[in-house]
Amino acid sequence: MATLVFHLDDGSSLTHQLEEGTTTLGRHPDSVVVLEFPSVSAHHAIIEMTDAGVYVSDQKSSNGTRVNGVEIEEAQLQEGDRVSFGDVQAVYYSDEAPAVIEVPAPVVMAAEPPPPPLQSNHRPPPVKRNPKVRRVGGYPDDSGSGCMTAILVVGLFIAALAAGLAMRHYKETEGGNFFVDLLDKLGGNIPKIKIEKTVEPE
C-alpha cells in the first residue's frame, strides 16, 4: 500500500498509508491528514489513487504544493518523490515505508552566483579578443545615406514650392493652369526661325 511519510521541523516523522480513492490534506479538521502548520492552507491538496497511478493536486493553496522542488497544480507521484505542502516536507513510497527513513535534504533552487568582490585600486586586464573576429562598431554605417537624405529634402521642398505656386496661380487666374501658362510664356520668348529653301537658277 502506498505510503506518505511527513518529516516535521522537530525531527519527528509522521507516516500515513494512502487508501483507495481521495485523501485530503490541510489545516482544517475535516481533512483526512490534518497538518496544523501556518504554511499549510485549510484545504491544501488532495491525493488520488487511481488505476492509472497516484496523483497529487494543489487546491489553490496560499503557499503552493511542490514535487521535487517544482510547484505543481497536478502531478503523478513516483517512488521517492519529495512532496512539499507549504513548508511541510513529505516523501512518497509506492509501497510501505522502509524501516530506516532518511530525512530528505531540502530542495534548494539554483541561484545566480554572487558578483565578484570589488577591488580598490585595481584595473582589470583588457579583454582578450580573437584577432580573426572583425570588430564592428555599435552603430550602422550610414555614410552613404546623408546625400540621399539631402536630395530627398530638396526634392520635397521643390515639390511643395511648385504646388504652392500652382494653387496661387489657379486662384489669381480663376482656373488657369500654372504649368501650361508657364510653358506658353517660355515658348513665346523663343525667337522663331524661318527656314526657306531657295533654288538657284540653272
Side-chain angles (χ1 to χ4, degrees):
M1 181 175 289
T3 307
L4 204 61
V5 179
F6 296 88
H7 297 274
L8 307 181
D9 291 340
D10 59 1
S12 62
S13 61
L14 171 67
T15 301
H16 178 81
Q17 290 185 338
L18 299 172
E19 299 180 354
E20 295 290 336
T22 301
T23 301
T24 58
L25 302 94
R27 202 170 65 247
H28 198 278
D30 65 359
S31 301
V32 175
V33 179
V34 180
L35 300 171
E36 296 181 346
F37 296 92
S39 63
V40 178
S41 297
H43 299 94
H44 197 102
I46 60 173
I47 295 178
E48 295 180 277
M49 294 188 65
T50 67
D51 293 338
V54 180
Y55 294 85
V56 58
S57 302
D58 184 74
Q59 300 299 295
K60 297 182 180 179
S61 62
S62 299
N63 296 306
T65 302
R66 294 174 175 79
V67 176
N68 297 325
V70 179
E71 189 167 352
I72 55 96
E73 292 183 0
E74 182 180 78
Q76 184 175 7
L77 295 178
Q78 305 293 336
E79 177 72 21
D81 279 348
R82 289 171 289 178
V83 188
S84 303
F85 306 96
D87 293 336
V88 179
Q89 305 289 325
V91 178
Y92 169 77
Y93 299 97
S94 57
D95 204 343
E96 293 184 1
V100 179
I101 301 175
E102 296 182 0
V103 179
V107 178
V108 179
M109 302 302 290
E112 295 182 359
L118 297 176
Q119 299 181 4
S120 60
N121 298 327
H122 175 72
R123 183 174 181 178
V127 179
K128 295 183 179 180
R129 299 185 181 273
N130 188 344
K132 296 183 180 180
V133 177
R134 182 182 176 187
R135 297 181 61 182
V136 180
Y139 297 96
D141 184 12
D142 58 354
S143 57
S145 63
C147 294
M148 293 300 299
T149 303
I151 292 173
L152 181 62
V153 171
V154 172
L156 291 174
F157 175 76
I158 293 174
L161 179 62
L165 291 173
M167 292 178 62
R168 182 173 180 181
H169 182 77
Y170 180 84
K171 289 182 179 179
E172 291 181 354
T173 59
E174 298 181 356
N177 190 314
F178 171 74
F179 299 102
V180 173
D181 294 345
L182 180 61
L183 289 175
D184 288 343
K185 285 188 176 183
L186 291 176
N189 294 331
I190 297 175
K192 296 180 180 180
I193 301 174
K194 184 177 181 181
I195 301 175
E196 295 181 356
K197 184 177 180 181
T198 59
V199 180
E200 297 180 359
E202 296 180 358

Short mmCIF file of all heavy atoms in Angstrom, two decimals, residues 118 139 179:
data_model
loop_
_atom_site.label_atom_id
_atom_site.label_comp_id
_atom_site.label_asym_id
_atom_site.label_seq_id
_atom_site.Cartn_x
_atom_site.Cartn_y
_atom_site.Cartn_z
N LEU A 118 34.50 43.69 -5.05
CA LEU A 118 35.14 44.86 -5.64
C LEU A 118 36.56 45.01 -5.09
O LEU A 118 36.81 44.82 -3.89
CB LEU A 118 34.33 46.12 -5.33
CG LEU A 118 32.91 46.15 -5.90
CD1 LEU A 118 32.19 47.41 -5.45
CD2 LEU A 118 32.96 46.10 -7.43
N TYR A 139 27.15 51.33 -34.10
CA TYR A 139 26.17 51.99 -34.93
C TYR A 139 26.38 51.59 -36.38
O TYR A 139 27.52 51.41 -36.83
CB TYR A 139 26.30 53.52 -34.81
CG TYR A 139 26.01 54.02 -33.43
CD1 TYR A 139 27.06 54.25 -32.52
CD2 TYR A 139 24.71 54.25 -33.02
CE1 TYR A 139 26.79 54.70 -31.25
CE2 TYR A 139 24.45 54.70 -31.74
CZ TYR A 139 25.48 54.93 -30.86
OH TYR A 139 25.22 55.37 -29.61
N PHE A 179 1.40 75.42 -64.93
CA PHE A 179 2.45 74.80 -65.73
C PHE A 179 2.22 75.04 -67.23
O PHE A 179 3.17 75.28 -67.98
CB PHE A 179 2.51 73.30 -65.42
CG PHE A 179 2.83 73.02 -63.99
CD1 PHE A 179 1.85 72.65 -63.08
CD2 PHE A 179 4.14 73.15 -63.53
CE1 PHE A 179 2.16 72.41 -61.76
CE2 PHE A 179 4.46 72.90 -62.20
CZ PHE A 179 3.46 72.54 -61.31
#
